[in-house]
Amino acid sequence: MESFQPVIVAFCCHYCAYTAADMAGSKRLHYPANVKIIRVPCTGKVSALHIMEALRKGADGVYVAGCLDGDCHFRSGNTCATKRVAYVKKLLDEIGIGGERVEMFAMSAGMGEVFARTATDFTEKIRDLGPNPARVGLDKLGCVGAGA
Amino acid sequence: MKTESILEKILTSGQLAVTSECGPPRGALPDKVKEKAEFLRGCVDAVNVTDNQTAMVRMSSLAACIIIKQMGLNPLLQMVTRDRNRLAMQSEVIGAYAHGIDTMLCLSGDHPRFGDHPMAASVHDIDSVQAVTMVTKMRDDGLFQGGQKIDGPPKMFVGAAANPFADPFELRVARLAKKVKAGVDFIQTQCIYNVDKFEKWMEGVRDRGLDEKVYILAGITPMKSVGMAKYMKNKVPGMDVPDDLIKRMAGVPKENQAEEGIKVCLETIERLRNVKGVAGFHLMAIEWEHRVAEIVERAGLLPRPSF
Amino acid sequence: MITAERKPIEDLIQSVSPYRRILLVGCNECVTVCSAGGRKEVALLSSALQMHFMKEAKPFEIKEITLERQCDPEYIEELVPIIDQADAVLSMACGCGVQEIARRFKEKPVLPAVNTTFMGASERQGVWAERCAGCGDCVLGVTGGVCPIARCSKQLLNGPCGGSTRGKCEVDPDIDCAWQLIWDRLKALGMTERYEENIPAKDWRTGRGGGPRKIVREDLA
């Protein structure tokens, strides 16, 4: 288990979290390379299916990082995203994958430190949870790309 | 006279009528029916027998009515539209009349949501206004609801309920007018605690001359305790319990609250007996049947007229 | 529209468990509008089921398709080329669609993925409410455009009952009292006198009381 390197997908809003990631970079703040950032125009664009498919295709954890409450560039995209993440968490609990593999975070463009800490903490949390059970099951089956 | 109903005779004679109720037991316990009904002997003109009240399964109203009839008392068959379609209701009416039960009350019934079978389908083939139309047509025209002739029509004295306290208030007289139009003979109202509001409703009833067309029995339920008063206020839909009344009940020691509740109900009766259009009282002493005789006596409503 | 809700995942997992290859069929009509069984929900359910069986290390294949309508036989024909690739069909359409697939493919198990609930309208984003009971003899013309059969908990044709409180139904404070709505409308229309016309007992033959119903348009049939 010690060699387990989780794959984390982070859907980051262009107006806040993505810029915060930039800020973290320019400040030379360290955060794990496990986190694969996908820039989105607004977290409201992230659908339940995006999150689910990220997990099905091998991610061990997914998070959505949007603007602070009330600060969405498109007024309410972040609240939509929060509701969708809650929905996906429930769905993941129901199928036995576990809702704790998905999270919603809020930060502003200037919060480089928050971005780095969030990425680090979430990666550690998923490392503790272990690999995505769907991927483990698939490896057991020994068949590649089933169903895709 | 439309029927042989004693209640009709008393109401027609212009004397104040007194009815009370008996909730059948939740089991095959005929003695329980007798025990409750016995308390009412000689002090009321008719005993309402509830029909799966609060949507809980109980001995059928008809069966309990028959037991009460056999005791020499005068039962009043309650019938809700929730549990039966029009076929079942009409056969029940005929059956009741065949057993000498000649007075009934048409209700829509509490929703199953409130009872012990919330998963049951509600029937509501017809509503209470339509039930009144159906039963009076059976009596007056000798016809079933479907139009066929009845061989030996049941001559029922037909009642319905009215709740002056539900919303919208402006419809409460109008809805009574619909029941009058349907041919209802008498009305038993929801428990009256807000006497001012009831009097306001009666004013509307008189303005439209409805008091000349239907006998209105004012519904009275004695409070046993402040707890019951609060429960009625907060938990029973369509019930109007003024805060002053709760304060009054709370103001006396627990052991005296029952007596206070009876005093309140006697004061209400005293005030309402002088209201034009009030033709009598319906005492719903819930699980308190043994106090009815005392209330009726202290209200000066004894002896009951005999025919 | 006809509204529906996806069945609990647990139930769906159980119902597809005996099969290895599933054809998941959505419908582009009502269930798409009420977010129960359109293309998006098909994709999401497919993803969820696949992940579940991956975790269980159980071989499981799912093919997705969303038809224009599952209640019309011509669209069902689109399944002909692929139906043999599946051991069972999981339909996300309303009960009508499920039955049309079952009727067309007599030897193929067809499982419902949604619970068909009611005929309703969208109150706001994500909220649908019952509006019509399909009684076959519309009374909306005399009830101010509010249906007492679908919207009164006791389907009273001469309401309101004694449980109407501040415009809400005694059954649930989230339910509007249909008769309060009817009364408000009659007032707005200046038709309050209509309230006191007693509505007679309904003839339920036009509804479910007459057995399964059929509409035949001679000029089209």
Side-chain angles (χ1 to χ4, degrees):
Chain A
M1 203 46 103
E2 264 173 31
S3 64
F4 169 53
Q5 283 300 336
V7 177
I8 309 290
V9 174
F11 291 100
C12 294
C13 164
H14 165 80
Y15 291 93
C16 52
Y18 189 79
T19 313
D22 241 6
M23 169 95 62
S26 54
K27 283 190 172 177
R28 306 262 181 264
L29 297 170
H30 174 79
Y31 67 87
N34 307 59
V35 179
K36 318 286 177 210
I37 295 176
I38 297 178
R39 179 168 67 150
V40 290
C42 172
T43 51
K45 188 71 195 92
V46 181
S47 77
L49 189 61
H50 288 124
I51 304 171
M52 289 292 283
E53 285 294 275
L55 289 165
R56 188 177 71 83
K57 293 189 173 169
D60 298 294
V62 177
Y63 68 87
V64 181
C67 300
L68 296 171
D69 197 23
D71 282 354
C72 174
H73 189 76
F74 303 96
R75 307 192 73 174
S76 57
N78 51 354
T79 26
C80 293
T82 306
K83 287 181 193 170
R84 279 178 211 148
V85 167
Y87 180 81
V88 171
K89 277 173 162 289
K90 190 163 164 274
L91 190 57
L92 289 170
D93 280 337
E94 285 169 340
I95 60 173
I97 300 296
E100 65 278 13
R101 290 183 181 274
V102 171
E103 217 55 73
M104 177 81 199
F105 297 110
M107 60 192 71
S108 74
M111 294 176 166
E113 287 84 357
V114 173
F115 179 87
R117 196 168 62 238
T118 302
T120 309
D121 291 353
F122 190 77
T123 304
E124 283 319 303
K125 177 179 150 183
I126 300 299
R127 201 191 300 278
D128 289 348
L129 284 172
N132 177 350
R135 219 182 54 194
V136 177
L138 196 64
D139 288 347
K140 252 190 247 169
L141 261 178
C143 62
V144 184
Chain B
M1 220 55 100
K2 297 173 188 167
T3 69
E4 291 294 307
S5 165
I6 288 170
L7 188 62
E8 183 181 11
K9 285 175 184 154
I10 291 171
L11 288 168
T12 316
S13 75
Q15 300 172 79
L16 285 173
V18 179
T19 57
S20 187
E21 72 174 22
C22 166
R26 284 171 56 75
L29 303 168
D31 291 341
K32 199 90 190 157
V33 178
K34 289 178 196 163
E35 186 191 313
K36 279 185 168 188
E38 195 55 49
F39 288 123
L40 304 173
R41 191 186 290 279
C43 60
V44 300
D45 307 318
V47 178
N48 278 51
V49 183
T50 53
D51 183 10
N52 286 341
Q53 68 183 89
T54 64
M56 309 263 276
V57 180
R58 290 167 185 275
M59 181 189 293
S60 79
S61 177
L62 176 57
C65 277
I66 293 169
I67 294 172
I68 291 170
K69 183 82 190 166
Q70 285 167 349
M71 294 167 66
L73 289 162
N74 186 27
L76 185 159
L77 179 80
Q78 290 196 185
M79 189 176 284
V80 298
T81 63
R82 176 196 61 220
D83 302 340
R84 295 177 187 82
N85 70 2
R86 63 191 88 179
L87 274 85
M89 291 179 76
Q90 291 177 95
S91 68
E92 190 95 333
V93 169
I94 294 173
Y97 192 68
H99 281 282
I101 294 150
D102 53 19
T103 313
M104 68 176 293
L105 192 73
C106 300
L107 304 159
S108 57
D110 293 315
H111 195 273
R113 173 79 62 96
F114 300 106
D116 63 349
H117 288 71
M119 70 300 277
S122 355
V123 180
H124 296 304
D125 173 18
I126 58 175
D127 65 23
S128 54
V129 173
Q130 294 160 347
V132 168
T133 306
M134 177 176 80
V135 185
T136 51
K137 179 176 161 188
M138 291 171 82
R139 176 189 70 201
D140 301 334
D141 304 341
L143 295 176
F144 287 115
Q145 200 273 337
Q148 297 286 306
K149 207 170 162 301
I150 306 173
D151 200 3
K155 302 286 186 187
M156 283 286 181
F157 191 53
V158 182
N163 183 359
F165 309 107
D167 292 324
F169 182 68
E170 55 187 333
L171 268 194
R172 290 298 140 187
V173 173
R175 184 137 197 271
L176 174 70
K178 293 186 76 157
K179 289 186 176 177
V180 170
K181 196 186 267 186
V184 76
D185 300 307
F186 69 95
I187 292 290
Q188 291 173 323
T189 77
Q190 173 70 287
C191 317
I192 302 160
Y193 297 110
N194 188 342
V195 185
D196 293 340
K197 196 164 184 184
F198 177 76
E199 286 184 341
K200 201 168 151 215
W201 178 73
M202 280 304 298
E203 216 175 284
V205 170
R206 286 193 302 271
D207 284 349
R208 296 197 46 180
L210 295 172
D211 59 317
E212 307 287 338
K213 296 180 180 154
V214 66
Y215 298 107
I216 295 169
L217 308 189
I220 306 283
T221 292
M223 302 280 196
K224 295 184 201 177
S225 64
V226 66
M228 176 174 171
K230 283 181 183 159
Y231 180 83
M232 292 280 227
K233 183 185 175 71
N234 302 322
K235 296 278 158 63
V236 183
M239 193 73 79
D240 185 342
V241 184
D243 289 331
D244 286 351
L245 184 57
I246 289 175
K247 240 183 258 168
R248 178 173 165 184
M249 290 295 288
V252 297
K254 207 166 171 57
E255 63 274 18
N256 297 340
Q257 283 178 1
E259 173 57 24
E260 194 66 18
I262 288 179
K263 271 190 199 151
V264 170
C265 109
L266 290 170
E267 287 163 23
T268 308
I269 292 173
E270 193 49 37
R271 187 167 155 191
L272 293 181
R273 66 191 300 166
N274 298 314
V275 171
K276 187 169 178 291
V278 171
F281 296 96
H282 178 46
L283 292 170
M284 292 163 276
I286 304 155
E287 296 301 321
W288 228 21
E289 291 82 359
H290 60 285
R291 302 298 292 268
V292 171
E294 179 195 339
I295 294 169
V296 178
E297 191 191 358
R298 288 170 67 182
L301 293 165
L302 284 184
R304 301 309 311 148
S306 53
F307 284 87
Chain C
M1 83 191 92
I2 293 173
T3 63
E5 278 184 294
R6 197 198 65 219
K7 281 176 177 282
I9 289 281
E10 192 188 346
D11 293 5
L12 294 175
I13 288 169
Q14 201 178 357
S15 71
V16 301
S17 279
Y19 310 103
R20 194 175 66 82
R21 300 173 307 163
I22 292 291
L23 180 59
L24 180 58
V25 190
C27 176
N28 219 1
E29 292 283 347
C30 313
V31 289
T32 295
V33 185
C34 70
S35 301
R39 197 166 276 119
K40 272 183 161 179
E41 288 71 30
V42 163
L44 195 61
L45 177 59
S46 168
S47 185
L49 289 174
Q50 287 181 66
M51 244 194 285
H52 170 78
F53 288 111
M54 278 161 71
K55 175 186 154 263
E56 300 294 306
K58 179 179 180 297
F60 181 76
E61 287 169 40
I62 193 160
K63 187 172 173 57
E64 302 162 27
I65 184 170
T66 297
L67 303 180
E68 193 51 35
R69 268 201 293 287
Q70 279 192 38
C71 53
D72 263 334
E74 48 268 48
Y75 296 110
I76 303 284
E77 289 305 306
E78 289 175 32
L79 300 181
V80 170
I82 49 175
I83 192 84
D84 287 336
Q85 298 163 26
D87 304 321
V89 175
L90 182 59
S91 165
M92 295 200 88
C94 70
C96 311
V98 177
Q99 292 183 64
E100 277 310 289
I101 294 178
R103 188 169 72 94
R104 175 63 181 82
F105 305 106
K106 294 197 167 26
E107 281 153 26
K108 193 66 66 182
V110 183
L111 312 163
V114 303
N115 291 320
T116 309
T117 39
F118 51 77
M119 281 185 273
S122 176
E123 281 192 340
R124 56 191 157 87
Q125 173 73 24
V127 179
W128 296 270
E130 185 158 21
R131 291 286 181 268
C132 176
C135 73
D137 183 15
C138 192
V139 298
L140 288 170
V142 294
T143 57
V146 177
C147 180
I149 299 163
R151 301 178 68 178
C152 167
S153 300
K154 297 181 185 173
Q155 65 179 37
L156 301 182
L157 284 165
N158 297 284
C161 76
S164 177
T165 309
R166 285 183 282 278
K168 298 296 176 185
C169 175
E170 65 175 18
V171 167
D172 187 331
D174 287 338
I175 302 172
D176 289 323
C177 168
W179 276 96
Q180 175 79 58
L181 298 177
I182 292 169
W183 177 241
D184 292 346
R185 266 287 281 181
L186 291 178
K187 274 200 294 192
L189 294 167
M191 290 163 66
T192 50
E193 75 290 347
R194 181 164 280 177
Y195 172 77
E196 287 195 30
E197 286 169 27
N198 284 358
I199 300 179
K202 199 168 167 65
D203 181 342
W204 294 111
R205 277 174 295 187
T206 55
R208 282 290 301 140
R213 294 167 278 175
K214 192 173 273 189
I215 297 171
V216 181
R217 267 278 299 266
E218 298 292 353
D219 57 327
L220 300 175

